[in-house]
Amino acid sequence: MANRVLLLLTLASRSDSQLSAKILGETAGHFLRNLKSQLPQSRMLAISALNTLLEGAPHEISSQEQQLCYDDLKENKESSVGRILNQILREEGFFNETLNSLSHVHIIADGESSASKGDRGASSFQSPADKAITFFYFDFLASWPRTPSRISLVGKNTFYSNFARIFKRLVQECGTPVLDALQDILKEFSSAKERSKQCVAAEVMAGMLHSDINGLLEAWDNWMMLQLQKIMVTPSAESTPEWAACIRYAVTGKGKYGMQIPLLRQRILDCLARPLPQTMTSNVVAKRYSFLSVALIEICPPRMPIAEVRYHDKLLEELLDKMSHPSAQVRESIAMTLAVVCSNKRLFATLGHRCLRDAEGDINMVESPQKENWAKFLTVRASELARNIQNAKQSDKIDSMVDLIHEIGFASSEDETDVKMMETMFHFIISSLKSGRSSVLLDIVVGLIYPVISLQETSNKDLSTLAKAAFGLLKWRILPRPLLENAVSVILSSVNDPNWRTRSAALTYLYTFMYRHTFILSASEKLQIWKSIEKLLVDNQVEIREHAARVLASLMKGGDEDLSRTFRDQSFAEAQSILRKQKQRNLVSGQSIASTHGAVLALAASVLSVPYDMPSCRKIGISFIVSVMLN
């Protein structure tokens, strides 16, 4: 109770000019010591207090100062609050005890969801009064991350940004002595076997990297860069989500709207872009691409400087070259990174500047005439891969090659390479549709509709599983008018595909496609789709005929009334014609089984389209079906 009253009184009196900086510093120092308290409630309240009391301005480099030469920023700026805090930080074993205490907050349990904890860290330890204080103050803070994404990049994490903010403010209040004091303890915790300690190390590292103080560049060159490289090549994957969150926090934009570029962003990106040795395991390679994904997703594409634009171009070349990587884990990470890079490039081209000035003042045209080569490559190559995979004898050829590769370690065959690249493209579609940025990549998504539909059922189960996952997301995406013509063309070609499984998947897609687009399709497009589905009522494959009838019944329930009426009339006329021929027992009807079955299914669709009504078509349909059954 005393700590709560002290916090509330201090905050209420901060605007009072008579409140001395010494009192504010002593209050902050009191809560700083409480970080290593044995009582969880005291620790959590101390976190809330420090995040509201510390302003962290004295040693921070302003955005204007960042434009100057950093070597000239040698002025020693230290507030009275910083002096008081520095005395506490110099106490022997302070950071060791503090980080150990904070590691107890990170309770790692199987199946634990970070979303259930929010971003305030183990709030279950707090009393209702402490929770109220925590919620009150943090609701007024800028949200992080700046650009929420639904891409599941590295899984759940227990990274608490309010912990990272404490260490950022401490560094900004007290300067480089905090960096020096944290160096050794950070190395120890980042290499610890306990994931909880690595969580705290990630938060400390994130706060330091985002502090933007005078002397941070020297610390980066001396030891921070080496520490980040060591974290990247560590084979352990348990703490990867926390370190990915650390990277994301470190490169996120600063300021009220997140538009200011952090001091170390480009250096962090350059560090992540360095190629790894060939001897690294797939876990390490996948971790590197995951780090790149979370870093690039925090960049504001319309405001990218020329260096970041070129960085995206260089990384895009690498990603396109690695799409057939032998490891499935790495291919998934590459696809997610590719989705972020492509969306950033598209957003920059759409909203950003058409040209930028570099440091020398020269004009650099960002958009070259070959700017969309990557988009054309993805769509054209995907269609080629889909046809190659369909034409190959998957069950006899690819499976035997996979067994051969596992047994004697031969290099991947051309067919196996096609399958791997296609898997990467499916991961790309899934990531794009989940990211919330699919609107800028819809032309590529439309270009990949055919592979998604045609590869629903293959002998390669992993490939089919990915195709079905992409299909489940794609079928609910509304396509705007400029892309709708291409989508209809692809769907109609899929409906007439020689492979009956492709035709079946196209019908399944049409089921929801028509539901989502019926009010924006033109009359000619609707007629084309209806006629294509009607032709499938007499398909050679019985499964296709029955599937087409179900789709038509659905379209008649909520589709175009004129088309529905015309279809019912034609179905009735066809049924009457078949009945007349059947009554002339001396004459051979000449009707094939598929034609007769198609007529029955057409009437069945008409009946099913009005399940709670008894119009004439329903009566005639039932009588015809009974007649066919009796004959």
Side-chain angles (χ1 to χ4, degrees):
M1 177 61 74
N3 286 329
R4 296 178 214 145
V5 173
L6 175 62
L7 174 60
L8 293 174
L9 287 176
T10 304
L11 293 175
S13 306
R14 285 179 70 174
S15 58
D16 189 353
S17 58
Q18 296 182 356
L19 181 68
S20 65
K22 181 179 179 182
I23 295 177
L24 185 61
E26 289 177 350
T27 304
H30 167 75
F31 286 109
L32 181 62
R33 286 193 173 92
N34 278 355
L35 286 180
K36 58 180 181 178
S37 172
Q38 299 299 315
L39 298 175
Q41 298 88 345
S42 298
R43 287 198 303 265
M44 298 310 301
L45 186 60
I47 292 168
S48 301
L50 289 173
N51 273 315
T52 52
L53 291 175
L54 297 180
E55 296 181 353
H59 292 267
E60 185 179 10
I61 301 175
S62 66
S63 58
Q64 290 78 13
E65 288 174 324
Q66 289 188 31
Q67 306 299 325
L68 305 175
C69 179
Y70 295 119
D71 295 334
D72 296 335
L73 300 172
K74 299 297 183 182
E75 182 183 357
N76 182 21
K77 297 182 287 185
E78 185 173 31
S79 64
S80 57
V81 176
R83 285 193 294 270
I84 295 174
L85 296 181
N86 258 323
Q87 293 176 0
I88 300 173
L89 298 178
R90 293 192 188 99
E91 295 177 1
E92 185 177 357
F94 174 81
F95 277 121
N96 195 353
E97 295 179 26
T98 300
L99 297 190
N100 268 308
S101 177
L102 291 177
S103 68
H104 299 321
V105 177
H106 298 78
I107 301 175
I108 312 298
D110 294 337
E112 184 179 47
S113 172
S114 63
S116 62
K117 286 187 175 183
D119 196 37
R120 300 174 178 90
S123 60
S124 59
F125 288 139
Q126 293 181 281
S127 67
D130 294 338
K131 286 183 181 180
I133 294 174
T134 303
F135 293 167
F136 177 80
Y137 289 109
F138 280 99
D139 282 344
F140 291 95
L141 296 177
S143 61
W144 181 88
R146 294 283 187 180
T147 54
S149 172
R150 293 181 176 86
I151 298 180
S152 179
L153 294 166
V154 286
K156 299 295 183 179
N157 66 77
T158 55
F159 180 93
Y160 303 127
S161 62
N162 51 342
F163 286 24
R165 187 172 182 267
I166 290 174
F167 290 97
K168 179 175 76 171
R169 293 296 186 234
L170 283 175
V171 172
Q172 292 173 345
E173 285 281 359
C174 304
T176 53
V178 180
L179 299 180
D180 299 335
L182 284 169
Q183 179 177 352
D184 294 334
I185 190 66
L186 182 61
K187 291 179 180 179
E188 176 187 343
F189 273 60
S190 61
S191 58
K193 294 182 179 180
E194 300 91 341
R195 183 179 175 183
S196 58
K197 289 189 176 181
Q198 292 210 25
C199 293
V200 176
E203 292 154 1
V204 173
M205 187 80 169
M208 291 191 299
L209 293 174
H210 205 243
S211 60
D212 285 9
I213 65 165
N214 182 26
L216 184 62
L217 290 175
E218 291 78 5
W220 169 263
D221 294 333
N222 292 336
W223 64 274
M224 283 185 175
M225 181 177 64
L226 298 176
Q227 185 64 30
L228 182 58
Q229 291 174 344
K230 182 179 178 181
I231 292 167
M232 287 178 56
V233 300
T234 302
S236 176
E238 288 79 7
S239 59
T240 297
E242 284 73 34
W243 287 112
C246 167
I247 298 296
R248 188 171 186 177
Y249 187 95
V251 301
T252 192
K254 301 174 73 72
K256 183 178 181 180
Y257 300 105
M259 299 300 181
Q260 299 175 15
I261 299 177
L263 182 63
L264 292 181
R265 176 189 281 179
Q266 191 59 48
R267 286 168 172 80
I268 294 172
L269 293 177
D270 291 339
C271 181
L272 298 177
R274 292 182 180 179
L276 296 172
Q278 297 294 331
T279 56
M280 288 297 166
T281 63
S282 59
N283 284 341
V284 175
V285 179
K287 181 193 291 188
R288 171 178 173 261
Y289 286 117
S290 298
F291 286 0
L292 283 166
S293 299
V294 296
L296 295 179
I297 208 169
E298 278 298 297
I299 290 177
C300 180
R303 295 178 176 268
M304 288 194 298
I306 185 63
E308 291 181 358
V309 176
R310 291 172 176 169
Y311 185 91
H312 278 71
D313 293 336
K314 184 177 180 181
L315 182 58
L316 180 61
E317 294 180 6
E318 176 187 342
L319 295 172
L320 294 177
D321 186 56
K322 301 291 185 181
M323 290 182 69
S324 57
H325 194 278
S327 171
Q329 179 185 9
V330 175
R331 292 197 298 273
E332 182 178 2
S333 298
I334 288 175
M336 289 188 289
T337 309
L338 184 64
V340 177
V341 171
C342 292
S343 62
N344 279 357
K345 286 177 65 63
R346 280 286 177 83
L347 287 169
F348 175 80
T350 304
L351 305 173
H353 300 290
R354 298 296 175 178
C355 60
L356 296 174
R357 291 184 179 273
D358 61 11
E360 288 77 20
D362 299 328
I363 297 295
N364 289 275
M365 298 305 297
V366 178
E367 296 182 356
S368 63
Q370 296 82 19
K371 64 177 181 178
E372 291 298 325
N373 278 354
W374 57 271
K376 185 177 180 181
F377 169 79
L378 289 175
T379 53
V380 175
R381 183 60 177 150
S383 299
E384 294 175 355
L385 293 175
R387 294 187 179 93
N388 293 342
I389 294 171
Q390 273 193 315
N391 295 333
K393 295 181 179 179
Q394 299 294 319
S395 57
D396 298 331
K397 192 173 181 179
I398 291 185
D399 290 347
S400 62
M401 288 182 178
V402 172
D403 295 336
L404 185 63
I405 290 170
H406 288 309
E407 289 178 6
I408 58 179
F410 284 169
S412 297
S413 66
E414 183 177 351
D415 292 328
E416 185 67 16
T417 302
D418 290 347
V419 172
K420 291 175 180 176
M421 184 172 288
M422 196 73 250
E423 288 182 4
T424 306
M425 290 190 179
F426 284 154
H427 279 300
F428 170 80
I429 298 174
I430 295 170
S431 300
S432 300
L433 293 174
K434 283 185 175 181
S435 67
R437 298 179 171 188
S438 59
S439 58
V440 296
L441 299 174
L442 274 185
D443 59 325
I444 302 176
V445 173
V446 170
L448 298 176
I449 288 179
Y450 176 75
V452 172
I453 292 177
S454 63
L455 298 177
Q456 292 291 296
E457 298 292 341
T458 66
S459 60
N460 190 301
K461 300 304 179 184
D462 292 337
L463 182 65
S464 296
T465 300
L466 286 174
K468 291 175 181 177
F471 185 82
L473 295 170
L474 175 64
K475 66 182 183 180
W476 294 109
R477 187 64 172 86
I478 296 179
L479 304 177
R481 170 46 61 181
L483 302 174
L484 202 54
E485 293 85 350
N486 294 335
V488 171
S489 176
V490 173
I491 295 169
L492 292 177
S493 65
S494 301
V495 169
N496 299 312
D497 195 87
N499 190 316
W500 74 270
R501 295 186 184 277
T502 301
R503 298 199 297 274
S504 177
L507 284 172
T508 303
Y509 182 63
L510 275 174
Y511 191 86
T512 52
F513 178 83
M514 291 296 291
Y515 174 77
R516 306 289 282 183
H517 299 86
T518 186
F519 297 107
I520 57 177
L521 287 169
S522 65
S524 61
E525 289 170 339
K526 291 181 183 179
L527 182 60
Q528 283 182 306
I529 294 173
W530 269 79
K531 292 300 181 183
S532 298
I533 301 175
E534 288 178 26
K535 290 179 182 178
L536 296 182
L537 288 173
V538 293
D539 194 89
N540 293 329
Q541 197 75 25
V542 63
E543 292 88 349
I544 298 298
R545 298 198 295 267
E546 294 174 349
H547 197 171
R550 291 193 297 270
V551 174
L552 284 171
S554 174
L555 293 183
M556 284 188 285
K557 289 179 183 179
D560 190 284
E561 286 295 333
D562 295 333
L563 291 174
S564 300
R565 188 182 307 108
T566 302
F567 174 76
R568 290 191 181 101
D569 294 342
Q570 290 176 351
S571 301
F572 171 62
E574 180 68 19
Q576 283 186 324
S577 175
I578 295 176
L579 279 175
R580 284 195 300 267
K581 292 178 180 179
Q582 285 183 346
K583 290 179 181 179
Q584 299 174 359
R585 298 182 183 276
N586 296 329
L587 298 177
V588 180
S589 65
Q591 293 289 328
S592 65
I593 295 176
S595 298
T596 305
H597 190 202
V600 173
L601 290 173
L603 287 177
S606 299
V607 171
L608 293 174
S609 66
V610 283
Y612 305 110
D613 198 1
M614 187 61 73
S616 59
C617 67
R618 180 180 175 90
K619 297 177 183 179
I620 296 171
I622 294 175
S623 64
F624 174 72
I625 294 171
V626 171
S627 175
V628 171
M629 291 175 63
L630 293 176
N631 288 278

